[in-house]
Amino acid sequence: MSPKQIGISIAVGAGLLVVGSVAWAISQAVAALIADHTTIFGMLALSTTVVLLIGGARIVFAFGAQQRARAWQAELTHLQNGMPIHVRDVPELAEQLAHTTLDQHYAVEYMRAGVSPTLTHYHNETHPIASPELLGNLLSISPPPAPALPAITSGSGPQLAQLQQIGHVCRSGNSLLVGYADGQPQYIELAECGFIGIGGQPRVGKSVTASLLIDQAVLSGWHVLIGDPHIQKTDGLLNRLRPLSGRLARQAVTPEEIAQMVRLADKIGKRRVAGDPDRTPVILVIDEFSNLVWRELLPDDVLAILPSMAAEYAGVGVHGVLIAHDWSKASLGGDLGAALRRAFTHRIIHRMDPGNVEFLLPRGSSAQARAVQGLDKGRALYAGPDGTVTVTVPLVGDDDAAYAAQDAPPAPHAAARPDCRRASRAALRADRPHRARGRAAGPRRAAHRAAA
């Protein structure tokens, strides 16, 4: 071994001797201390043992709780809507659902049975009111007094004039009559109104309902902007309202005109929010809305404006009415449909297929969606902040529009004037390839949104 290694070995040995001596001395001292204080160290040992036992018990109980939690989680299942439920609660839930379903069924049947007496409906008939004596003879009981009903009969002037005479139209300057449920008028109050959604199959009353609302708005002096891409249809909305066209603030027919009209309403809302004190109600009406969306005829920025308008401008007097026959995801897309569903504060739904009413009713309204498919012509489901009722909509026509115009001469859109019809038909023929492309693009867009 080298001298260096020998030196290291000696140093290590000396260190071990020193450490061993110190350790021996310490152990002797501790032993003497324990011998002198046996009771104290016994208590310390006992305390340590107790702490260790408690810690072990906690570990055992924690493991048992974890196992029970896992077993409980394993017994959870999910309903069709994705909500979790314990398997033991399923029988109780089934009983509750049975009661709820029956209550909803009865509510729908009560709404279907509701009739608005004395109102002239689409068959030009007047519903008679049974007298208390007749009811007493038929039922052998004393019936309650009949509620006061509007005395409206055919042949005594425009419906709108009669409704105004009895105080059911233009009663406050800030409300719109929708119809009658059990003889009682149902209103849309502008203070609670954002956007109004109107739906229904063709020829069931959508345009008549929209005409009733617009007639009242014009008669009240509001600013009404109407977009109707079906100006060539004789029963289209703008043609129905031709007698009051001179009182309309804006008429739009082409997609470009409708987009400009939406931007104009948005500009009015922004100006009022910024401080313009004018609060004259502005009503933006777009007919055939789902068709415009499905064919991709409206720019994306315009479609994005509409839901935000309902949220931002309702307090400054800017409102909207969207009319369509299809409110499904396939027609509108999931994002736009969901945004509009949140924007609607009032809904008027005529007869529709349950699958087409998806975004016109709030979530969880399957019973109402099934109820609308059995509505008669001229009747609608009206859903507002105070609940849902079935209403009979008064039949209004050209004489009512003329009455709302208050002697203002008609000023129809240029596309509806006789001297422009030939040019309009030529423009439509030239637009057919574009419309065909739109029809082809629509399903692709819907399919893409559904996949997303």
Side-chain angles (χ1 to χ4, degrees):
M1 298 177 60
S2 63
K4 183 177 180 180
Q5 292 175 339
I6 294 173
I8 292 173
S9 299
I10 294 172
V12 170
L16 290 174
L17 289 174
V18 172
V19 171
S21 301
V22 172
W24 173 258
I26 291 174
S27 64
Q28 292 298 318
V30 170
L33 183 61
I34 292 173
D36 295 337
H37 302 85
T38 305
T39 304
I40 295 175
F41 281 97
M43 293 297 295
L44 288 176
L46 179 61
S47 300
T48 303
T49 303
V50 171
V51 169
L52 291 176
L53 290 175
I54 292 174
R58 288 177 60 87
I59 293 174
V60 171
F61 282 119
F63 180 76
Q66 183 182 26
Q67 293 299 111
R68 287 195 299 272
R70 288 178 178 177
W72 178 270
Q73 186 175 9
E75 293 176 346
L76 292 179
T77 184
H78 291 82
L79 300 176
Q80 293 180 346
N81 59 1
M83 295 296 293
I85 185 173
H86 196 272
V87 291
R88 290 198 296 267
D89 297 332
V90 172
E92 181 180 356
L93 177 63
E95 183 178 356
Q96 294 176 355
L97 287 178
H99 290 293
T100 303
T101 302
L102 287 174
D103 292 341
Q104 293 176 347
H105 171 73
Y106 293 145
V108 170
E109 293 302 320
Y110 287 146
M111 287 189 293
R112 285 180 175 175
V115 178
S116 296
T118 74
L119 279 180
T120 303
H121 62 40
Y122 286 76
H123 300 291
N124 293 323
E125 299 172 354
T126 301
H127 299 286
I129 304 177
S131 65
E133 294 79 7
L134 177 59
L135 289 175
N137 294 333
L138 290 176
L139 303 178
S140 299
I141 59 174
S142 298
L149 300 174
I152 300 176
T153 58
S154 59
S156 58
Q159 287 258 43
L160 199 64
Q162 300 176 61
L163 291 169
Q164 186 180 25
Q165 182 179 4
I166 63 176
H168 288 189
V169 164
C170 302
R171 58 172 188 160
S172 65
N174 291 294
S175 62
L176 295 171
L177 174 69
V178 177
Y180 292 86
D182 297 327
Q184 300 302 315
Q186 304 296 317
Y187 292 98
I188 295 174
E189 301 294 342
L190 288 192
E192 304 172 334
C193 181
F195 265 39
I196 304 169
I198 300 179
Q201 299 171 351
R203 306 287 192 276
V204 295
K206 294 193 308 295
S207 297
V208 172
T209 298
S211 299
L212 174 65
L213 301 181
I214 294 169
D215 288 348
Q216 297 176 75
V218 170
L219 187 60
S220 300
W222 303 353
H223 303 312
V224 181
L225 300 80
I226 301 180
D228 178 13
H230 288 170
I231 190 64
Q232 300 304 321
K233 290 185 177 181
T234 57
D235 59 347
L237 185 59
L238 279 178
N239 284 326
R240 283 178 174 270
L241 299 172
R242 181 189 294 264
L244 58 72
S245 55
R247 296 283 303 276
L248 297 177
R250 181 66 67 91
Q251 301 176 63
V253 171
T254 66
E256 293 76 15
E257 291 176 344
I258 295 175
Q260 293 174 3
M261 183 183 69
V262 174
R263 294 188 180 105
L264 172 62
D266 182 54
K267 183 177 180 181
I268 294 173
K270 288 180 178 178
R271 187 168 63 239
R272 292 185 177 185
V273 170
D276 187 346
D278 185 9
R279 292 297 182 269
T280 304
V282 175
I283 307 296
L284 171 69
V285 183
I286 302 179
D287 196 9
E288 298 295 336
F289 177 72
S290 60
N291 190 36
L292 291 169
V293 174
W294 183 75
R295 293 173 57 192
E296 298 181 325
L297 298 179
L298 294 179
D300 290 340
D301 68 295
V302 170
L303 297 178
I305 286 173
L306 293 172
S308 62
M309 285 178 60
E312 297 177 22
Y313 304 150
V316 295
V318 179
H319 312 273
V321 180
L322 301 182
I323 310 166
H325 66 275
D326 187 355
W327 291 96
S328 66
K329 182 177 181 179
S331 179
L332 298 177
D335 295 338
L336 176 61
L340 289 175
R341 176 163 54 194
R342 292 189 295 269
F344 288 139
T345 56
H346 297 77
R347 301 161 173 88
I348 307 173
I349 311 168
H350 291 267
R351 184 167 65 239
M352 290 185 71
D353 293 332
N356 292 341
V357 75
E358 176 181 3
F359 287 123
L360 194 52
L361 284 172
R363 288 184 177 274
S365 303
S366 57
Q368 295 177 355
R370 291 190 297 270
V372 297
Q373 66 180 336
L375 292 173
D376 295 330
K377 184 177 181 181
R379 307 198 70 203
L381 196 71
Y382 169 50
D386 297 329
T388 302
V389 295
T390 301
V391 298
T392 298
V393 180
L395 176 62
V396 294
D398 292 346
D399 54 346
D400 299 285
Y403 177 78
Q406 297 291 288
D407 299 326
H413 189 277
R417 297 171 187 167
D419 56 343
C420 297
R421 288 177 180 173
R422 182 176 301 175
S424 299
R425 286 194 293 268
L428 287 173
R429 286 194 297 269
D431 189 48
R432 282 173 183 168
H434 171 73
R435 287 185 290 163
R437 289 194 297 272
R439 286 192 296 270
R444 290 198 299 271
R445 181 177 184 180
H448 174 71
R449 286 176 173 173

